Amino acid sequence: MTLAIEEIMLKHPPLIHMKSNGKDERAPTQEPNTQERSHLILILSQVRALASSKGLWDDEMQRDLPKKWEKHGDMIVFPQNSFTHNNWRYIGRELWRVVAESLNIARLGRKRFIGNDDERTPHVDLLYGANGWVEHVDDRGIRFVYDASKRVFNNKKVPEMQRISEWDCHGETVVDMYAGLGYYSLRFLICCGAKQVVSIDWSDDMCEALRRTAEANNVHDRMLVTPCLVADRVFLGLVPSCRAHWLTACKALKQEGGMLHIHEVLDVSSRQIPRKMGTAKPLPKLQSVEEEGSAKENKPSLAKSSSNPLGKANGTTEKEKAPFKRKLSRSQSIVEEMESRVFPAPKVLKDFEEGAWKSLAQPYKDFALDCATHCTRFLNNIHFSDTMYCVTIVNLTKYGSTSPKSDHVVLDLLCGLEDVPIERMVAKYLTLNHAQ
């Protein structure tokens, strides 16, 4: 029987739909390995017997059997161009039970397409099984729990996850904006020793996945899936741009400041006018921090609430914070006072300025200075204290071109009060984790 099935497969191989550019529509395109081939033979044998028993078998049906598939835990997801013959529909749900038993798997899904976004939003029809919740274990043994019918694990995040693992974040509170499945949140907690991570995502599905992942890794007591107002470090990992949330990130930092790590897909095709760093000029007219935030920001926002989730963890209360923070008014006098101030110009950390900064092309420098300038304004408008906040460019990491005219970069900014020595800030936030 097996030989007969193999002969049929050679005569009628599984159909592969081709795009107009001649490439296989499915990924990966390599031939199945021995185990996959044996599974494919078994599937063909079982479904052929089932269809024949109902008088529905047609040799053309084997041509759209899946040649490759993705496995997420105990769930297999087939390509969108599999099981498309009309006769499969007449067999009904029994077909998927037979296929699942042939593969010794609990659940089956089939793609419709994957959304063109950084989080790789899939559109998967659940064919067999109660739900799409699966578990993925990475190279550090970290368990990621997610619904494969709504999200899939994004391997493009791995290089940055590895970079984060080298940092020493003991005792720090970290805000991970756009947390997704918790790629970076779990590294901060498990590899970097962060005291607490606040994982922010606007999707209810992602928040549920984050909560389940925290439970699976036994870090639910240190991982808060909710916005907060106090952080030592804020990580903005959304690409192509998280510009709309720079203000939110600045609001998340503690009053004494901290680190911002900002991802951006940078357009390097156009040359901008170089910025001069010698003088500080007044910035454009401001409305107020609240007005600017409401006009430019999208959710999630770090909204004030009567119960601050980090208040207890940091040993402070709203009453204790009140003397240190002046609440902004919308009155014209306050706005005029804000407009009249001259903010400190962005700085470049000496070691970075004397090294890699010199070799950066102008578009990279312009982006870094523009980002630092905006964050300087945001911080000074948020806190509005007698001592100015200044922002120092610490590093700019390139992760390669996403297109001929764009480059994925990560900008590291050190934010703090002017009267705090930069050496103290560097010692606090830029220490490497030598235990890794």
Side-chain angles (χ1 to χ4, degrees):
M1 178 66 179
T2 301
L3 289 175
I5 295 295
E6 287 183 332
E7 289 174 359
I8 293 174
M9 289 180 62
L10 291 173
K11 185 177 180 181
H12 300 287
L15 181 63
I16 301 176
H17 293 298
M18 308 296 285
K19 289 185 176 180
S20 58
N21 59 8
K23 293 183 179 179
D24 185 350
E25 188 178 32
R26 297 180 297 183
T29 59
Q30 64 267 27
E31 290 297 315
N33 57 37
T34 303
Q35 184 179 15
E36 290 169 337
R37 184 176 177 83
S38 63
H39 283 153
L40 187 55
I41 293 172
L42 183 58
I43 292 174
L44 176 56
S45 173
Q46 297 291 338
V47 299
R48 184 185 183 192
L50 175 63
S52 297
S53 69
K54 298 178 180 294
L56 294 172
W57 179 251
D58 184 332
D59 284 346
E60 290 296 317
M61 294 169 67
Q62 70 183 21
R63 292 174 61 84
D64 67 347
L65 288 178
K67 191 177 182 181
K68 300 287 291 186
W69 49 76
E70 295 177 5
K71 188 174 182 181
H72 302 270
D74 62 351
M75 179 178 178
I76 279 180
V77 178
F78 294 129
Q80 64 190 57
N81 57 354
S82 57
F83 294 103
T84 58
H85 195 283
N86 285 334
N87 285 9
W88 296 123
R89 302 178 185 178
Y90 298 121
I91 298 177
R93 187 170 177 78
E94 188 178 0
L95 168 66
W96 308 122
R97 178 187 61 78
V98 169
V99 173
E101 290 176 355
S102 300
L103 293 170
N104 192 27
I105 205 76
R107 291 168 292 175
L108 297 173
R110 180 173 55 194
K111 291 180 183 177
R112 276 182 277 159
F113 63 90
I114 291 185
N116 186 23
D117 57 32
D118 184 61
E119 289 299 331
R120 289 176 54 78
T121 306
H123 296 265
V124 175
D125 295 318
L126 191 63
L127 303 174
Y128 187 76
N131 58 67
W133 286 99
V134 298
E135 181 177 288
H136 169 81
V137 182
D138 73 358
D139 62 317
R140 292 295 186 97
I142 299 174
R143 301 163 64 188
F144 294 88
V145 182
Y146 56 94
D147 188 341
S149 67
K150 298 175 181 177
R151 281 290 191 275
V152 294
F153 190 86
N154 190 349
N155 287 305
K156 292 181 179 179
K157 304 282 188 181
V158 172
E160 182 68 353
M161 292 165 66
Q162 293 172 342
R163 186 176 84 105
I164 290 171
S165 299
E166 299 177 356
W167 300 346
D168 183 358
C169 302
H170 284 82
E172 292 186 0
T173 297
V174 180
V175 172
D176 182 8
M177 300 178 71
Y178 330 109
L181 297 180
Y183 306 99
Y184 308 137
S185 296
L186 273 296
R187 291 281 172 150
F188 278 119
L189 285 169
I190 295 175
C191 301
C192 304
K195 179 179 71 175
Q196 192 170 53
V197 171
V198 181
S199 303
I200 302 174
D201 198 286
W202 55 83
S203 166
D204 292 339
D205 296 327
M206 289 300 94
C207 289
E208 177 62 22
L210 286 166
R211 282 187 281 268
R212 294 192 183 205
T213 295
E215 290 283 349
N217 291 278
N218 197 30
V219 293
H220 53 280
D221 57 333
R222 295 190 292 134
M223 181 173 169
L224 300 178
V225 187
T226 181
C228 71
L229 296 174
V230 181
D232 296 290
R233 194 182 300 265
V234 182
F235 198 93
L236 297 92
L238 183 68
V239 292
S241 179
C242 53
R243 180 180 292 267
H245 303 281
W246 291 352
L247 174 57
T248 302
C250 291
K251 287 181 179 179
L253 289 176
K254 288 181 178 178
Q255 188 161 355
E256 61 265 29
M259 287 290 298
L260 298 177
H261 306 280
I262 301 174
H263 284 243
E264 184 86 6
V265 174
L266 191 62
D267 182 2
V268 295
S269 61
S270 60
R271 294 280 178 173
Q272 301 178 10
I273 300 175
R275 298 176 182 271
K276 295 182 180 180
M277 298 193 52
T279 59
K281 296 182 179 181
L283 289 161
K285 184 176 180 179
L286 302 174
Q287 297 299 320
S288 72
V289 170
E290 286 81 2
E291 290 174 359
E292 180 156 2
S294 62
K296 292 187 177 181
E297 284 198 275
N298 300 320
K299 292 183 179 181
S301 62
L302 299 181
K304 293 183 180 180
S305 63
S306 58
S307 58
N308 180 4
L310 291 185
K312 184 176 180 181
N314 289 278
T316 60
T317 65
E318 291 298 325
K319 288 185 178 180
E320 292 172 336
K321 290 181 182 179
F324 300 96
K325 187 173 182 179
R326 179 179 178 182
K327 186 177 181 180
L328 289 175
S329 169
R330 291 180 180 270
S331 67
Q332 186 62 34
S333 60
I334 293 294
V335 172
E336 289 177 355
E337 185 177 352
M338 291 168 61
E339 291 173 355
S340 65
R341 294 187 301 163
V342 177
F343 299 133
K347 300 177 182 178
V348 180
L349 191 67
K350 185 177 180 181
D351 290 345
F352 182 52
E353 184 178 18
E354 294 176 350
W357 178 261
K358 293 181 179 179
S359 62
L360 286 177
Q362 196 60 44
Y364 298 94
K365 293 182 179 180
D366 289 343
F367 165 71
L369 293 170
D370 179 59
C371 184
T373 300
H374 276 79
C375 291
T376 299
R377 182 180 67 175
F378 292 150
L379 287 166
N380 283 290
N381 288 342
I382 290 167
H383 300 288
F384 201 59
S385 62
D386 294 334
T387 304
M388 288 284 190
Y389 285 81
C390 62
V391 176
T392 302
I393 300 168
V394 171
N395 189 38
L396 189 145
T397 304
K398 298 181 185 179
Y399 278 117
S401 300
T402 58
S403 73
K405 296 182 179 180
S406 62
D407 208 355
H408 179 192
V409 300
V410 185
L411 177 65
D412 300 329
L413 299 179
L414 182 58
C415 310
L417 293 165
E418 272 191 312
D419 58 359
V420 178
I422 188 65
E423 294 79 12
R424 185 190 303 176
M425 298 285 288
V426 168
K428 180 176 181 180
Y429 294 106
L430 300 182
T431 303
L432 293 178
N433 186 0
H434 297 293
Q436 293 295 324

